[in-house]
Structure formats: C-alpha cells, structure tokens
Amino acid sequence: MPGRKVLLVDDERDFVEPLGERMRSRGLDVETAVSAKEAIQMTQRETYDVIVLDLNMPQIDGLETLRMLKEKNPNVHFILLTGYPTAEKGIRAMLSGAEEVLERPSNVETLIRKIEKLVSKKMVRV
Amino acid sequence: MDIKWDIIGTEGFRFMGKMNASISHEVKNVLAIINENAGLLEDFTLMAEKGMAIDPERLNALAGKIQHQVQRADRIIKNMNTFAHSVDETKKKVDLSEILVFMAALSERLATMKGIALEVTPPSTPIAITTDPFLVENIIWRCLEFSMAVTGTGKTVVLTADKKDQGASIIFSQLKGLSDASSRPPFPEDVENELVKSLGAQIVVNEGAGEIVLGLPEGPN
C-alpha cells in the first residue's frame, strides 16, 4: 500500500520515531507528531488517510484530540492506541469517531493491516 | 478525638488504585518504546542479512535508547515497591524530605498529564518525624492534587519541606488560582480533614501567599 499518508501522534518521541521509520520501510508515507497541538497544526497543512493517536497524552488527551481532529478532517480514519483497552474505552473511542482501538505495545504488521483495512473500506465507500 | 476511619480507608484504596494505575500506564509506555526500538533493530538485522549497509552508530543509538528505557522502568518499579511497602508499619521514623521527593516522583506522570511541572526543593538535612508513612503520602497527594487543580496547565507547583519546633511542614507554593475562592474547589474537605486528624497534623491555606502549608508533628521518639 505505497503512498498511504499516515500521521502518528504520541507524546513519547522514542516511540513514534522508530515506529514511523518501521512503517516507512514497509511502504507507508508516515509523519509524526508529539503533541495534540502539533498534530492539529500538521493536519492544517496536510491531508492524511489515517491518523494513529495515543489515548493518554498530556494536557489534551487522545479522545479530545480525536474530536478536534475529526471535526476538521471528517474523512480521515482514526486508530487509537492504548496500554489498556477496555470495552468502555472502546465505546468512548468509537463514539468520538475512532474506527479501531489497538493495544500497545503492538505488532507493526497488525497496525499496518488495520490501516490497510480502513483505507480499503474508504475506497469501497467512495 | 473522633476519627472517621471509614473515610480514611476508602480514600486509602482510591489513592493506592490511582497511583498503581498511573505506574502501570507508565510501564506500558516504556514497554511500547522498547518494543519499537527492538523492532527497528530487528528490521536493521534483516536488511543487513540482505546485504544492505547499516551504520553501526544507528545500532548503538538504538541500543542506548533501549538501555535508557530499562533504567526508566527500573526507577518506576522501585517507586512502586517503595509505595507498596509504605503500608507495612503504621508508625515509623521517616525522613520527610525523602517522602516529599518520593511523592513528587510518584506523581510526576499525573502532573505531566495535566501539563503541570513539579519542582521539589528539599532541605539539605533530613527531617525526621515519627508517623504513619502511608497516611502522610496520602495527605501529600491530596494537597498536591488540589494544588494542581488551582494552578492550571503550563504552570509549576513548588514543593518544599521545613523543620519546625516539634514537627515539620510541607509547603505547596506558586498556586496562582488559590486566591480565587469563588471558582476553586473547596479545600480542605472531609477526606483531608480526617487524614489531618489521624496524623495530628494541620492544613493552612494561605490564599494571599498562594500556598498551602501542611504541618506535621514530630511524633514520639
């Protein structure tokens, strides 16, 4: 799936940078942001197919960031990452506009499969 | 003195749960970082097997990041262990400065999540008091949680400890929103009052100075 544009958002730089590099080496076009504020600024300049977002971020948490980003980018797919996925978190995430919730640490191949699934769904929908 | 131990007990469980949840989230973050850096190392190994040149400096940097995260996890787990053992004795001679530094470390992630920095300036000499370590940690957390609520994002809460006649005090300062009594939550409330009673302590809210002073008795020697 070359050229899929993905934004990875997590406050831990040492997490997003190697993950981004691994995804780029597998053919995705990945950019990274280490705060909600930075992610919002980046979405004003660029259009992404999928945004992968950490649920627990300082100041503006993942759900709030998701709501803000979704409002401005209604066609973008969102995947939330969390250390402890629960049914309650899943429901809240889905209600806020996420389509997938993934436990982290996770397997990079699993994440890419989920991205592929979401983007393919979008193409069918169009 | 009539102490409502049911309130203290319920609060104790909440406090223990809150801290353990925070610790477990931080450990998960560390594991996620190790996972991605180790994964990248694995990717490089596969590339090298295919004959691609890999810069040894990059491998060294990745190994360094993993080692750094292992040290971080070690600190987190040590704090978790110290916290777990704080319920071992209900009366113990402790260094209040040490407890203050420990509580700041334990609360750091929760403060960061609120966008607040904690600055601890403990005295150079130990402040020995005899007290219930867990209840002291609990009341420090309650004061700190309130301090963060009135300070607001982007600000710093300063924590200091002082030796006093027959006791010691912990000062939570630079609390900008403390003077705005109409918009801030009430403090101290039942939980803090019961904890204070059980420790023979006192809380003074100094709105003008923007600080909360938690006074603790020296206790029996």
Side-chain angles (χ1 to χ4, degrees):
Chain A
M1 48 188 307
R4 299 293 185 225
K5 207 153 175 70
V6 178
L7 177 61
L8 280 179
V9 191
D10 191 298
D11 61 299
E12 297 270 10
R13 192 177 294 280
D14 284 342
F15 171 74
V16 281
E17 285 184 351
L19 178 57
E21 189 167 348
R22 297 185 76 200
M23 291 167 75
R24 278 191 286 272
S25 73
R26 285 159 176 80
L28 283 89
D29 181 2
V30 180
E31 290 180 358
T32 59
V34 290
S35 68
K37 195 176 161 191
E38 190 184 0
I40 291 163
Q41 285 169 349
M42 288 173 79
T43 56
Q44 286 164 352
R45 293 193 303 264
E46 282 285 347
T47 304
Y48 298 93
D49 295 303
V50 179
I51 297 178
V52 181
L53 200 59
D54 178 26
L55 187 60
N56 283 295
M57 286 197 296
Q59 298 186 42
I60 312 172
D61 75 4
L63 283 185
E64 186 56 30
T65 309
L66 169 60
R67 278 190 283 271
M68 289 194 284
L69 290 171
K70 189 78 185 172
E71 198 180 299
K72 303 274 181 199
N73 309 271
N75 295 321
V76 178
H77 297 285
F78 286 87
I79 297 175
L80 276 187
L81 298 178
T82 173
Y84 298 94
T86 59
E88 189 198 340
K89 275 185 198 171
I91 291 166
R92 282 169 56 209
M94 301 295 175
L95 289 173
S96 302
E99 286 161 270
E100 291 280 355
V101 178
L102 190 63
E103 181 173 1
R104 65 170 214 168
S106 62
N107 184 307
V108 68
E109 313 298 346
T110 308
L111 177 59
I112 291 173
R113 269 200 303 277
K114 286 195 184 286
I115 289 170
E116 196 171 354
K117 193 179 105 186
L118 290 178
V119 176
S120 308
K121 199 167 78 178
K122 184 181 182 181
M123 287 175 74
V124 169
R125 206 167 50 196
V126 168
Chain B
M1 191 185 296
D2 179 27
I3 298 168
K4 293 174 182 151
W5 288 104
D6 56 330
I7 292 178
I8 293 173
T10 304
E11 165 57 20
F13 280 121
R14 280 201 192 120
F15 173 48
M16 189 63 95
K18 178 112 187 159
M19 292 302 156
N20 279 328
S22 174
I23 289 165
S24 66
H25 275 287
E26 208 174 350
V27 170
K28 273 281 206 171
N29 283 347
V30 170
L31 290 174
I33 294 170
I34 291 174
N35 187 54
E36 294 316 325
N37 284 284
L40 193 51
L41 270 178
E42 191 184 20
D43 287 357
F44 285 162
T45 308
L46 293 172
M47 288 178 198
E49 279 172 6
K50 288 177 185 168
M52 292 169 76
I54 305 297
D55 180 4
E57 269 307 304
R58 288 228 58 198
L59 300 179
N60 199 32
L62 284 175
K65 280 183 182 177
I66 292 170
Q67 282 167 349
H68 174 74
Q69 292 302 321
V70 170
Q71 285 159 9
R72 179 180 166 192
D74 186 55
R75 279 195 304 274
I76 297 165
I77 298 296
K78 274 180 184 156
N79 280 344
M80 185 183 178
N81 184 269
T82 302
F83 185 54
H85 280 295
S86 62
V87 294
D88 288 353
E89 293 172 63
T90 55
K91 227 166 220 20
K92 190 180 175 188
K93 193 165 190 174
V94 295
D95 176 4
L96 195 61
S97 309
E98 218 169 70
I99 287 189
L100 189 62
V101 171
F102 167 68
M103 278 308 296
L106 198 63
S107 312
E108 194 181 358
R109 180 184 168 274
L110 292 165
T112 303
M113 294 301 286
K114 292 174 192 287
I116 293 168
L118 302 179
E119 189 184 306
V120 190
T121 48
S124 50
T125 54
I127 301 175
I129 62 167
T130 302
T131 189
D132 183 323
F134 182 72
L135 295 186
V136 167
E137 287 166 4
N138 200 161
I139 190 65
I140 291 172
W141 165 247
R142 294 293 299 195
C143 292
L144 186 53
E145 193 178 34
F146 173 76
S147 299
M148 291 193 290
V150 294
T151 298
T153 298
K155 303 286 193 325
T156 300
V157 174
V158 177
L159 309 164
T160 49
D162 263 343
K163 178 89 184 84
K164 300 278 179 202
D165 283 344
Q166 296 180 331
S169 61
I170 294 176
I171 302 124
F172 304 80
S173 55
Q174 289 195 24
L175 313 181
K176 310 278 184 215
L178 194 60
S179 55
D180 192 359
S182 59
S183 65
R184 69 167 170 85
F187 188 85
E189 289 196 283
D190 285 356
V191 170
E192 294 84 26
N193 287 331
E194 293 307 318
L195 281 167
V196 156
K197 264 196 276 176
S198 70
L199 288 163
Q202 60 172 347
I203 289 176
V204 176
V205 177
N206 189 341
E207 291 182 353
E211 63 181 35
I212 294 168
V213 180
L214 170 65
L216 291 155
E218 194 173 14
N221 289 314

